[in-house]
Amino acid sequence: MSWTNFLLALFGGVICWVAWIALAGATRTEPVVISTGSEQGIYFQVGKEIGDSYMNRHPEIRCEVIPSEGSRENVTRLQDGTADVAIVQNDAVADERVRSLAILYTEVLHLVCRKDAGIECLNDLADHPTNLGSLSGGTHPLVEALLQFSRVEIPAEHQQNLGFAQSAEALRSGDLDAAFFLVGLGSEIIEKLIASPEFQLVPIQIRAMEGEATFISERAFIDGFRTHYPHAKVAEIPLMSYEGSPITPTPSVGIGAVLACSADWDEELANDLVETIFAHRAVLGRKISLLSGLDEQSSQAQLQFPLHRGAEAYFRRNEPGFLAQNAESIGVLITVALLLASGLHGIKKWIDQRRKNRVDVYYGRVQHILDSIGHQRVSDFGAALRDLEAIESTTCQELIEERLDADHSFVILQNMINRCRAEIERAETAAKGD
């Protein structure tokens, strides 16, 4: 085979290999499991829209959106590795295996009551059958902490722990007088309940004194509650949020709904997912109104779980780099280094000059011996050789002690000493011959 054919075959092989790698990369799939909530709930809708946007932006990614019973189960899935991404409440109990990607929206606590029950605040719940939320969901821990803070005791026989759908049915059937729902504003289940004249939204508030019709300031009440439950937020159900209801803004308490992931999830995938959410927020907001308020600043504020490295890289992408942040300090260090280098250079020149001056002294002494050779008697040549040996010995010692440099000047000195020794020996021989 000629060299030309060999090179052509090699080139063709490289092209095929590159094409195979590119094709393999294009068809590669990365399964991303997103754990959400019930298929009728907002968690599932949000998770599905985010997963679809992610796959549209990154065709090589395959997302699997799976339902769950709520925030608690989602946390469990992140911790045991059966889900990569999940929607959880910012107050969820989790360990170091869970990381935050972004706060998506605020879930607001809705207290839906039968109008004929006469419930006006949390204090009135003590005598009424009330649903506190499913034990596997996120409503129950918040409600339990809120009632404990308010010192409202509901007898055990009046407490129920039903899911949202079962709770709504129990309200309609009259088995419940009140039920808590921690959901996003505009929730379909609340919409359907409030559409009936039988039900109303009751503010999250308490009476100033037992038996009176005055209430503690809602803001002051929630701020006090936050000292015990720091991830809660002051929230409000806006006027006419549900087809004409409520007729006045209804104070409440809220919790951030967080898109979370496992701590060991791929950093690049996490960065791409967060980037996708904010790149598609206009589209996401049109499909799900709760996501219309997506904002990079608020999405990373007051997170319980630390940001995942990939999400942090996205949020910090526009921050100046190390050199820009420390330009002034680096400039000072460079100036100091230059001044130090200049000073050291000056010291070196001074030391070199001193050593040069010392060599010049020995040049003079050797030259003096050379100049005196023609005027000496035979008996003086021995003294001249001893002087020359003394110079040689001294210069060697100073070389060892680094008071002289083994440079070109020292070589010249050694050559002068050797030449002087040869001249003395030649003169001494000639004088003896005469």
Side-chain angles (χ1 to χ4, degrees):
M1 179 184 290
S2 68
W3 275 105
T4 302
N5 292 335
F6 174 76
L7 290 175
L8 287 174
L10 180 63
F11 181 73
V14 170
I15 293 296
C16 292
W17 179 73
V18 170
W20 181 82
I21 292 294
L23 183 62
T27 58
R28 180 179 59 91
T29 59
E30 290 285 350
V32 176
V33 179
I34 304 176
S35 185
T36 56
S38 68
E39 294 187 16
Q40 294 76 35
I42 192 67
Y43 275 17
F44 188 84
Q45 297 175 39
V46 170
K48 187 175 184 309
E49 292 299 336
I50 289 176
D52 289 345
S53 295
Y54 195 21
M55 289 189 290
N56 288 337
R57 190 175 176 88
H58 299 278
E60 75 278 9
I61 300 297
R62 179 173 60 85
C63 290
E64 182 183 355
V65 180
I66 58 175
S68 77
E69 294 187 11
S71 182
R72 287 190 175 184
E73 185 176 5
N74 288 344
V75 167
T76 301
R77 287 176 176 177
L78 290 178
Q79 292 180 158
D80 64 20
T82 55
D84 301 304
V85 180
I87 303 174
V88 302
Q89 290 171 198
N90 200 34
D91 62 340
V93 178
D95 58 24
E96 69 281 356
R97 289 173 288 179
V98 176
R99 291 290 184 271
S100 297
L101 294 173
I103 292 180
L104 299 175
Y105 59 90
T106 298
E107 295 191 299
V108 180
L109 187 64
H110 294 65
L111 176 55
V112 180
C113 303
R114 299 185 61 86
K115 286 184 180 178
D116 57 12
I119 298 171
E120 296 181 322
C121 63
L122 296 178
N123 308 84
D124 298 333
L125 295 174
D127 301 322
H128 296 275
T130 304
N131 185 57
L132 308 185
S134 169
L135 295 177
S136 61
T139 302
H140 184 267
L142 175 62
V143 171
E144 188 176 47
L146 187 64
L147 294 176
Q148 185 177 3
F149 172 75
S150 306
R151 289 180 168 77
V152 174
E153 296 184 5
I154 301 176
E157 62 271 18
H158 286 343
Q159 295 184 26
Q160 294 291 329
N161 299 112
L162 304 174
F164 286 169
Q166 295 89 346
S167 179
E169 287 303 317
L171 280 171
R172 293 188 181 98
S173 66
D175 293 335
L176 289 175
D177 287 340
F180 289 97
F181 299 85
L182 184 60
V183 292
L185 289 171
S187 167
E188 183 179 355
I189 195 165
I190 303 297
E191 184 83 53
K192 290 180 178 180
L193 284 171
I194 299 303
S196 171
E198 298 177 79
F199 304 109
Q200 65 180 353
L201 285 168
V202 173
I204 303 299
Q205 60 185 5
I206 59 174
R207 285 192 173 86
M209 293 188 66
E210 190 64 33
E212 293 189 2
T214 57
F215 303 95
I216 292 175
S217 163
E218 298 90 358
R219 177 85 192 204
F221 171 61
I222 301 303
D223 281 343
F225 174 59
R226 291 180 64 202
T227 62
H228 300 272
Y229 209 82
H231 300 293
K233 299 180 178 181
V234 175
E236 184 179 78
I237 303 172
L239 175 73
M240 298 184 180
S241 299
Y242 298 96
E243 295 296 329
S245 296
I247 57 174
T248 59
T250 303
S252 185
V253 60
I255 296 291
V258 179
L259 188 67
C261 66
S262 57
D264 58 357
W265 194 42
D266 184 85
E267 187 172 337
E268 184 177 353
L269 292 176
N271 185 291
D272 290 344
L273 179 56
V274 177
E275 182 181 25
T276 298
I277 291 171
F278 288 102
H280 289 212
R281 59 184 168 186
V283 175
L284 292 171
R286 284 196 297 271
K287 293 182 177 180
I288 301 176
S289 59
L290 281 172
L291 300 179
S292 60
L294 275 170
D295 174 73
E296 290 191 18
Q297 294 301 317
S298 59
S299 291
Q300 51 180 315
Q302 298 180 335
L303 287 166
Q304 176 186 188
F305 313 116
L307 274 173
H308 189 277
R309 292 187 303 275
E312 187 172 14
Y314 173 79
F315 288 125
R316 306 288 183 266
R317 69 194 184 283
N318 294 326
E319 292 184 0
F322 175 81
L323 293 178
Q325 285 182 328
N326 299 279
E328 186 175 349
S329 300
I330 292 173
V332 172
L333 289 175
I334 291 174
T335 302
V336 171
L338 289 174
L339 290 173
L340 183 61
S342 177
L344 292 175
H345 180 68
I347 293 172
K348 184 178 183 303
K349 285 185 66 177
W350 178 75
I351 292 174
D352 290 344
Q353 187 60 46
R354 287 197 61 188
R355 290 175 175 173
K356 178 65 170 59
N357 293 340
R358 295 183 66 82
V359 171
D360 289 346
V361 170
Y362 293 120
Y363 285 167
R365 291 177 59 182
V366 174
Q367 188 62 46
H368 177 72
I369 296 174
L370 277 170
D371 293 341
S372 64
I373 289 175
H375 310 289
Q376 291 180 340
R377 298 187 300 273
V378 174
S379 59
D380 295 331
F381 290 132
L385 281 173
R386 287 192 295 274
D387 289 343
L388 195 61
E389 290 173 355
I391 293 172
E392 187 175 31
S393 175
T394 302
T395 54
C396 288
Q397 185 62 36
E398 290 191 0
L399 181 66
I400 294 171
E401 295 173 357
E402 297 185 352
R403 297 170 66 187
L404 289 176
D405 289 329
D407 55 9
H408 186 62
S409 298
F410 188 80
V411 172
I412 292 174
L413 177 62
Q414 293 301 307
N415 290 336
M416 286 184 64
I417 291 174
N418 292 334
R419 184 165 66 87
C420 186
R421 180 180 291 108
E423 288 293 329
I424 292 173
E425 291 174 352
R426 184 188 60 79
E428 184 178 17
T429 301
K432 288 180 178 178
D434 293 341

